[in-house]
Coordinates of all heavy atoms in Angstrom, one line a residue:
I24 N -101.0 -166.5 -157.3 CA -102.0 -165.8 -158.2 C -101.4 -164.4 -158.6 O -101.5 -164.1 -159.8 CB -103.3 -165.6 -157.5 CG1 -104.0 -167.0 -157.3 CG2 -104.3 -164.7 -158.3 CD1 -105.2 -167.0 -156.4
L25 N -100.9 -163.7 -157.7 CA -100.5 -162.3 -158.0 C -99.0 -162.2 -158.4 O -98.7 -161.2 -159.1 CB -100.6 -161.5 -156.7 CG -102.1 -161.3 -156.2 CD1 -102.1 -160.6 -154.9 CD2 -102.9 -160.6 -157.2
G26 N -98.2 -163.1 -158.1 CA -96.8 -163.1 -158.5 C -95.9 -162.1 -157.8 O -94.9 -161.7 -158.3
N27 N -96.4 -161.6 -156.6 CA -95.6 -160.6 -155.9 C -95.9 -160.7 -154.4 O -97.1 -160.7 -154.0 CB -96.0 -159.2 -156.5 CG -95.3 -158.1 -155.8 OD1 -95.6 -157.7 -154.7 ND2 -94.3 -157.5 -156.5
R28 N -94.9 -160.7 -153.6 CA -95.0 -160.9 -152.2 C -95.8 -159.8 -151.5 O -96.7 -160.0 -150.7 CB -93.6 -161.0 -151.6 CG -93.6 -161.3 -150.1 CD -92.2 -161.3 -149.5 NE -92.2 -161.4 -148.1 CZ -92.2 -162.5 -147.4 NH1 -92.2 -163.6 -148.0 NH2 -92.2 -162.4 -146.1
A29 N -95.4 -158.5 -151.8 CA -96.1 -157.4 -151.2 C -97.6 -157.4 -151.5 O -98.4 -157.1 -150.7 CB -95.4 -156.1 -151.6
D30 N -97.9 -157.6 -152.8 CA -99.3 -157.6 -153.2 C -100.1 -158.8 -152.5 O -101.2 -158.6 -152.1 CB -99.4 -157.8 -154.7 CG -99.0 -156.6 -155.5 OD1 -99.0 -155.5 -154.9 OD2 -98.5 -156.7 -156.6
A31 N -99.4 -159.9 -152.4 CA -100.0 -161.1 -151.7 C -100.3 -160.8 -150.3 O -101.3 -161.1 -149.7 CB -99.1 -162.3 -151.9
E32 N -99.3 -160.1 -149.6 CA -99.5 -159.8 -148.2 C -100.7 -158.9 -148.0 O -101.6 -159.1 -147.1 CB -98.3 -159.1 -147.6 CG -97.1 -160.1 -147.3 CD -95.9 -159.4 -146.9 OE1 -95.8 -158.1 -146.9 OE2 -94.9 -160.1 -146.5
E33 N -100.8 -157.9 -148.8 CA -102.0 -156.9 -148.8 C -103.3 -157.6 -149.1 O -104.3 -157.4 -148.4 CB -101.8 -155.8 -149.7 CG -100.7 -154.8 -149.3 CD -100.4 -153.7 -150.3 OE1 -101.4 -153.4 -151.1 OE2 -99.4 -153.1 -150.3
A34 N -103.3 -158.5 -150.1 CA -104.5 -159.2 -150.5 C -105.0 -160.1 -149.4 O -106.2 -160.2 -149.0 CB -104.3 -160.0 -151.8
V35 N -104.0 -160.9 -148.7 CA -104.4 -161.8 -147.7 C -104.9 -161.0 -146.4 O -105.9 -161.4 -145.8 CB -103.2 -162.7 -147.3 CG1 -103.5 -163.6 -146.1 CG2 -103.0 -163.7 -148.5
Q36 N -104.2 -159.9 -146.1 CA -104.7 -159.2 -145.0 C -106.1 -158.6 -145.2 O -107.0 -158.7 -144.3 CB -103.8 -158.0 -144.7 CG -102.4 -158.5 -144.1 CD -101.4 -157.4 -144.0 OE1 -101.7 -156.2 -144.2 NE2 -100.2 -157.7 -143.6
E37 N -106.4 -158.1 -146.4 CA -107.7 -157.6 -146.8 C -108.7 -158.8 -146.7 O -109.8 -158.6 -146.2 CB -107.7 -157.0 -148.1 CG -109.0 -156.5 -148.6 CD -109.6 -155.4 -147.7 OE1 -108.9 -154.6 -147.1 OE2 -110.9 -155.4 -147.6
A38 N -108.3 -159.9 -147.3 CA -109.2 -161.1 -147.3 C -109.6 -161.6 -145.9 O -110.7 -161.9 -145.6 CB -108.6 -162.3 -148.1
F39 N -108.6 -161.6 -145.0 CA -108.8 -162.0 -143.6 C -109.7 -161.0 -142.9 O -110.6 -161.4 -142.1 CB -107.5 -162.3 -142.9 CG -106.9 -163.6 -143.1 CD1 -106.9 -164.2 -144.4 CD2 -106.3 -164.3 -142.1 CE1 -106.4 -165.5 -144.6 CE2 -105.8 -165.6 -142.3 CZ -105.8 -166.1 -143.5
L40 N -109.5 -159.8 -143.2 CA -110.4 -158.7 -142.6 C -111.9 -158.9 -143.1 O -112.8 -158.9 -142.3 CB -109.9 -157.3 -142.9 CG -108.7 -156.9 -142.1 CD1 -108.2 -155.5 -142.7 CD2 -109.0 -156.8 -140.6
R41 N -112.0 -159.1 -144.4 CA -113.3 -159.4 -144.9 C -114.0 -160.6 -144.4 O -115.1 -160.7 -144.0 CB -113.3 -159.5 -146.4 CG -113.0 -158.3 -147.2 CD -113.1 -158.5 -148.7 NE -112.4 -157.5 -149.4 CZ -112.0 -157.6 -150.6 NH1 -112.2 -158.7 -151.3 NH2 -111.4 -156.6 -151.2
A42 N -113.2 -161.7 -144.3 CA -113.7 -163.0 -143.8 C -114.2 -162.8 -142.3 O -115.3 -163.3 -142.0 CB -112.6 -164.1 -143.8
W43 N -113.4 -162.1 -141.5 CA -113.8 -161.9 -140.1 C -115.1 -161.0 -140.1 O -116.0 -161.2 -139.3 CB -112.7 -161.3 -139.3 CG -113.0 -161.3 -137.9 CD1 -113.3 -160.2 -137.1 CD2 -113.1 -162.4 -137.0 NE1 -113.6 -160.6 -135.8 CE2 -113.5 -162.0 -135.7 CE3 -112.9 -163.8 -137.2 CZ2 -113.6 -162.8 -134.6 CZ3 -113.1 -164.6 -136.1 CH2 -113.4 -164.2 -134.9
R44 N -115.1 -159.9 -140.9 CA -116.2 -159.0 -140.9 C -117.5 -159.7 -141.3 O -118.6 -159.4 -140.8 CB -115.9 -157.9 -141.9 CG -116.9 -156.7 -141.8 CD -116.5 -155.5 -142.7 NE -115.1 -155.2 -142.7 CZ -114.3 -155.1 -143.8 NH1 -114.9 -155.2 -145.0 NH2 -113.1 -154.9 -143.7
F45 N -117.4 -160.6 -142.3 CA -118.6 -161.3 -142.8 C -118.8 -162.7 -142.3 O -119.4 -163.5 -142.9 CB -118.6 -161.2 -144.3 CG -118.7 -159.9 -144.9 CD1 -117.6 -159.3 -145.4 CD2 -119.9 -159.1 -144.8 CE1 -117.6 -158.0 -145.9 CE2 -119.9 -157.8 -145.3 CZ -118.8 -157.2 -145.9
R46 N -118.2 -163.0 -141.1 CA -118.3 -164.3 -140.6 C -119.7 -164.8 -140.3 O -120.0 -166.0 -140.3 CB -117.5 -164.5 -139.3 CG -117.9 -163.6 -138.2 CD -116.9 -163.6 -137.1 NE -117.3 -162.8 -135.9 CZ -117.1 -161.5 -135.9 NH1 -116.4 -160.8 -136.8 NH2 -117.5 -160.8 -134.8
G47 N -120.6 -163.8 -140.2 CA -122.1 -164.2 -139.9 C -122.7 -164.9 -141.1 O -123.6 -165.7 -140.9
S48 N -122.2 -164.7 -142.3 CA -122.7 -165.3 -143.5 C -122.3 -166.8 -143.6 O -122.8 -167.5 -144.4 CB -122.3 -164.6 -144.8 OG -120.9 -164.7 -145.0
L49 N -121.5 -167.3 -142.7 CA -121.0 -168.7 -142.7 C -122.1 -169.6 -142.3 O -122.0 -170.8 -142.6 CB -119.9 -168.9 -141.8 CG -118.5 -168.4 -142.3 CD1 -117.5 -168.5 -141.2 CD2 -118.1 -169.2 -143.5
A50 N -123.2 -169.2 -141.7 CA -124.3 -170.0 -141.3 C -124.9 -170.7 -142.5 O -125.4 -171.8 -142.5 CB -125.4 -169.3 -140.5
S51 N -124.9 -170.0 -143.7 CA -125.5 -170.5 -144.9 C -124.5 -171.3 -145.8 O -124.8 -171.7 -146.9 CB -126.1 -169.4 -145.7 OG -125.1 -168.5 -146.1
V52 N -123.2 -171.4 -145.3 CA -122.2 -172.1 -146.1 C -122.0 -173.5 -145.6 O -121.9 -173.7 -144.4 CB -120.9 -171.3 -146.0 CG1 -119.7 -172.0 -146.7 CG2 -121.1 -169.9 -146.6
S53 N -121.9 -174.5 -146.5 CA -121.7 -175.8 -146.1 C -120.3 -176.2 -145.6 O -120.0 -177.0 -144.8 CB -122.1 -176.8 -147.2 OG -121.3 -176.6 -148.3
S54 N -119.3 -175.5 -146.2 CA -117.9 -175.7 -145.9 C -117.2 -174.4 -145.8 O -117.3 -173.6 -146.7 CB -117.3 -176.6 -146.9 OG -115.9 -176.8 -146.7
I55 N -116.4 -174.2 -144.7 CA -115.7 -172.9 -144.5 C -114.6 -172.7 -145.5 O -114.4 -171.7 -146.0 CB -115.2 -172.9 -143.0 CG1 -116.4 -172.8 -142.1 CG2 -114.3 -171.7 -142.8 CD1 -116.0 -172.8 -140.6
Q56 N -113.8 -173.8 -145.7 CA -112.6 -173.6 -146.5 C -112.8 -173.0 -147.9 O -112.2 -172.1 -148.3 CB -111.8 -175.0 -146.6 CG -110.5 -174.8 -147.3 CD -109.7 -176.1 -147.4 OE1 -110.3 -177.2 -147.5 NE2 -108.4 -176.1 -147.4
P57 N -113.7 -173.6 -148.7 CA -114.0 -172.9 -150.0 C -114.4 -171.5 -149.9 O -114.0 -170.6 -150.7 CB -115.0 -173.8 -150.7 CG -115.0 -175.1 -150.0 CD -114.5 -174.8 -148.6
W58 N -115.2 -171.2 -148.9 CA -115.7 -169.8 -148.7 C -114.6 -168.9 -148.5 O -114.5 -167.8 -149.0 CB -116.7 -169.8 -147.6 CG -117.3 -168.4 -147.3 CD1 -118.3 -167.8 -147.9 CD2 -116.8 -167.5 -146.3 NE1 -118.5 -166.6 -147.4 CE2 -117.6 -166.4 -146.4 CE3 -115.8 -167.6 -145.3 CZ2 -117.5 -165.3 -145.5 CZ3 -115.6 -166.5 -144.5 CH2 -116.5 -165.3 -144.6
L59 N -113.6 -169.3 -147.6 CA -112.5 -168.5 -147.3 C -111.6 -168.3 -148.4 O -111.0 -167.2 -148.7 CB -111.8 -169.1 -146.0 CG -112.6 -168.9 -144.7 CD1 -112.0 -169.8 -143.7 CD2 -112.6 -167.5 -144.3
Y60 N -111.4 -169.4 -149.2 CA -110.5 -169.3 -150.4 C -111.2 -168.3 -151.4 O -110.5 -167.6 -152.1 CB -110.2 -170.6 -151.0 CG -109.0 -171.2 -150.4 CD1 -109.0 -172.3 -149.6 CD2 -107.7 -170.7 -150.7 CE1 -107.9 -172.8 -149.0 CE2 -106.5 -171.2 -150.2 CZ -106.6 -172.3 -149.3 OH -105.5 -172.8 -148.8

Side-chain angles (χ1 to χ4, degrees):
I24 292 170
L25 298 171
N27 179 285
R28 181 183 174 92
D30 292 331
E32 286 175 353
E33 289 178 21
V35 171
Q36 288 173 6
E37 179 61 32
F39 276 39
L40 287 172
R41 286 184 201 164
W43 190 253
R44 191 176 320 130
F45 296 106
R46 65 189 178 274
S48 65
L49 282 174
S51 63
V52 175
S53 61
S54 178
I55 292 175
Q56 189 179 27
W58 180 83
L59 289 166
Y60 272 108

